[in-house]
Amino acid sequence: MTDQEKYDKIFEANKQWIEKNKVDNPGLFKLLVADQHPDFLYIGCSDSRVHPNQVMGLKPGEVFIHRNIANMVIATDLNALSVINYAVEYLKVKFIIVCGHYGCGGVKAAMEHLDYGILNPWLRSIRDVYRLHQDELDIIEDEEARLRRLVEINTYEQCLNVIKTTEVQRSFHENGYPRVAGWVFDINDAQLHDLRIDFEGELKKIKKTYNITGKASK
Ligand code: CO
């Protein structure tokens, strides 16, 4: 198949998808036009092998999605922060999930001592996670096992970054949601692993330093 044929096939597949849903899922399009009320915000890696709706078994309209290289939540990234703000303040999601995956190319690149050009500042944030947990990571001799552990730790740290945001702290205080969870998807067997983050415990710890829900005076 030529590249152009691959491209054209998308529109053919779209038509087939519409026809299939008319039969299997008759109310779907009406539901989509009406509004979106997803319970979940999913923050995951851009990796083409990890598709949030498929991984979670959810239909269109059921999960709000943000993806970037290595599922990062960086304090100055207006893109990620805007998604979190919208999801919490307007969609009122009940869960925010950060989902990493084993075999993550972004995390692997951060472990290599190579110049990745424009990617360097992005990878720096992952290298910062490595530095923060260097004692634990350095003693893992097997490189594959070390990469797997860094994927888990990075996912955990990005959950903490979500908890550090004002929106999450304030909304949880006022409404009892959203809760933040960390998952790792295994591309070898398609299983989802829950890192079982102690959300309320972490929130309490984080508030000691990052509680920014008070009003700043001039
Ligand atoms: Co990845």
Side-chain angles (χ1 to χ4, degrees):
M1 199 184 289
T2 66
D3 290 344
Q4 185 61 43
E5 280 166 349
K6 283 181 197 164
Y7 179 88
D8 293 338
K9 204 177 153 217
I10 301 277
F11 289 88
E12 200 40 57
N14 173 250
K15 276 187 203 141
Q16 286 169 12
W17 183 76
I18 293 168
E19 291 310 316
K20 191 176 178 297
N21 273 291
K22 277 182 186 164
V23 179
D24 298 351
N25 240 331
L28 179 67
F29 297 120
K30 239 185 211 158
L31 204 75
L32 295 186
V33 170
D35 211 348
Q36 59 166 339
H37 300 286
D39 288 324
F40 305 95
L41 163 61
Y42 170 101
I43 300 171
C45 184
S46 298
D47 193 300
S48 61
R49 297 165 296 182
V50 191
H51 191 278
N53 282 78
Q54 285 175 353
V55 164
M56 299 167 78
L58 295 176
K59 292 198 281 287
E62 294 182 331
V63 53
F64 199 59
I65 297 168
H66 177 75
R67 295 169 82 181
N68 61 38
I69 292 175
N71 44 273
M72 301 301 288
V73 180
I74 296 169
T76 52
D77 176 9
L78 271 181
N79 187 349
L81 297 182
S82 301
V83 169
I84 292 171
N85 180 279
Y86 189 76
V88 174
E89 302 277 328
Y90 298 92
L91 297 175
K92 305 198 182 300
V93 294
K94 305 301 180 289
F95 298 93
I96 299 179
I97 293 131
V98 178
C99 185
H101 68 101
Y102 296 126
C104 183
V107 174
K108 189 165 182 282
M111 281 174 62
E112 294 165 349
H113 302 133
L114 299 170
D115 180 0
Y116 277 97
I118 192 72
L119 285 174
N120 287 335
W122 194 259
L123 299 178
R124 226 274 293 277
S125 299
I126 311 172
R127 292 187 170 119
D128 287 343
V129 170
Y130 193 107
R131 188 174 64 86
L132 206 57
H133 298 270
Q134 192 144 17
D135 292 347
E136 180 188 341
L137 288 162
D138 275 355
I139 53 171
I140 305 173
E141 280 179 29
D142 181 70
E143 205 174 314
E144 191 56 38
R146 198 159 72 241
L147 172 62
R148 285 172 74 90
R149 186 62 190 136
L150 182 55
V151 163
E152 292 165 1
I153 289 173
N154 182 53
T155 303
Y156 200 94
E157 285 292 334
Q158 302 319 311
C159 288
L160 298 189
N161 286 341
V162 174
I163 301 173
K164 288 171 195 169
T165 63
T166 332
E167 294 91 330
V168 170
Q169 289 178 30
R170 186 176 289 143
S171 175
F172 187 76
H173 178 69
E174 288 172 4
N175 310 308
Y177 60 81
R179 305 183 79 84
V180 178
W183 298 348
V184 176
F185 179 75
D186 195 333
I187 50 172
N188 295 301
D189 60 9
Q191 285 224 34
L192 259 187
H193 299 272
D194 191 338
L195 294 177
R196 299 188 185 284
I197 285 172
D198 171 15
F199 170 67
E200 286 184 51
E202 293 295 354
L203 180 67
K204 212 176 264 177
K205 271 192 267 171
I206 272 177
K207 274 191 160 178
K208 283 188 185 154
T209 316
Y210 298 92
N211 184 345
I212 43 174
T213 53
K215 200 124 190 98
S217 59
K218 283 181 190 161

